Amino acid sequence: GNSVTQMEGPVTLSEEAFLTINCTYTATGYPSLFWYVQYPGEGLQLLLKATKADDKGSNKGFEATYRKETTSFHLEKGSVQVSDSAVYFCALSRGNTGNQFYFGTGTSLTVIP
Amino acid sequence: DGGITQSPKYLFRKEGQNVTLSCEQNLNHDAMYWYRQDPGQGLRLIYYSQIVNDFQKGDIAEGYSVSREKKESFPLTVTSAQKNPTAFYLCAAGQVSGNTIYFGEGSWLTVV
């Protein structure tokens, strides 16, 4: 079946530290991969995506590379800010299942000044 | 302003009452979804719809009902049969042929 596993949190970092949030997936075929971010009390916002192997998604200083050989899509940022504090969700989509999405459990990030 | 609008943002319900959460989108997307999120947990799919007048159960459909009479609207009813309805409910929309979905701001439901 299809599933997403992401590292458990919470993660606490100091401002300007390097961030990695691990995400691995299980899927048949060639899924699209996503990172969504959820700020407190809000819905999810699309942060970045990649639709095929070796693609790199990037946005707001965040990056993730679609690695088919390791079935991974790890989220990275070189220098986090307090405003990056949020919950991050990794997800995959299989278009031929009616665009159904499969989400990880989320990783909470707190950045302290 | 385009996007997905959920209402109300906060809702309190007495036990034994049904309540309906509204979701409207002006993105012209065919597919719409309802997810439930419990504190500190991930998202679980309740129902989804790919076309008007048709919808499918997700992983946790028991105690919920939906309708899709218009492309723009996908209301969710939380019935009295839902044992633990207190949660954060998220509506989303996307193209069936596409590969991205977009979320509303969510609705908090509390049973008192």
Side-chain angles (χ1 to χ4, degrees):
Chain A
N2 301 299
S3 66
V4 174
T5 302
Q6 60 182 105
M7 73 185 263
E8 295 190 14
V11 174
T12 302
L13 294 174
S14 297
E15 207 165 21
E16 299 183 1
F18 184 85
L19 168 71
T20 300
I21 300 178
N22 291 337
C23 172
T24 57
Y25 68 90
T26 301
T28 54
Y30 303 95
S32 295
L33 301 173
F34 305 81
W35 278 100
Y36 283 83
V37 58
Q38 184 179 35
Y39 298 101
E42 298 184 9
L44 276 68
Q45 300 175 24
L46 178 65
L47 180 59
L48 53 84
K49 69 179 183 181
T51 58
K52 62 183 187 294
D54 300 326
D55 267 4
K56 178 185 284 188
S58 61
N59 186 26
K60 300 180 181 179
F62 291 89
E63 293 183 339
T65 301
Y66 189 143
R67 301 286 189 198
K68 194 172 192 318
E69 63 276 14
T70 55
T71 62
S72 65
F73 193 56
H74 304 322
L75 182 68
E76 296 181 337
K77 187 175 185 182
S79 176
V80 293
Q81 305 301 312
V82 172
S83 58
D84 294 327
S85 298
V87 180
Y88 292 82
F89 290 90
C90 185
L92 72 83
S93 167
R94 290 295 319 284
N96 64 354
T97 57
N99 205 19
Q100 282 206 54
F101 272 62
Y102 301 85
F103 288 88
T105 54
T107 301
S108 174
L109 170 66
T110 300
V111 180
I112 55 177
Chain B
D1 192 21
I4 300 167
T5 302
Q6 291 186 237
S7 63
K9 179 69 174 178
Y10 300 96
L11 186 61
F12 296 87
R13 187 196 88 178
K14 292 183 178 179
E15 280 193 31
Q17 289 181 337
N18 293 352
V19 63
T20 297
L21 306 179
S22 170
C23 179
E24 303 280 331
Q25 56 110 353
N26 62 5
L27 302 172
N28 200 35
H29 287 333
D30 294 312
M32 297 186 74
Y33 309 78
W34 275 106
Y35 289 90
R36 169 179 171 143
Q37 185 179 25
D38 292 284
Q41 298 188 29
L43 281 69
R44 292 184 288 171
L45 182 64
I46 305 173
Y47 269 98
Y48 67 100
S49 168
Q50 298 181 32
I51 194 170
V52 173
N53 292 323
D54 186 52
F55 46 82
Q56 308 296 326
K57 292 182 178 180
D59 301 319
I60 57 164
E62 185 176 352
Y64 299 97
S65 65
V66 294
S67 62
R68 188 85 187 276
E69 297 177 1
K70 299 186 301 182
K71 187 176 184 178
E72 303 80 16
S73 179
F74 191 42
L76 173 74
T77 297
V78 184
T79 76
S80 57
Q82 170 49 235
K83 299 304 180 188
N84 297 295
T86 296
F88 188 49
Y89 290 88
L90 287 158
C91 179
Q95 293 290 11
V96 174
S97 58
N99 62 9
T100 303
I101 59 174
Y102 302 91
F103 286 83
E105 290 295 306
S107 293
W108 290 94
L109 172 64
T110 302
V111 174
V112 297

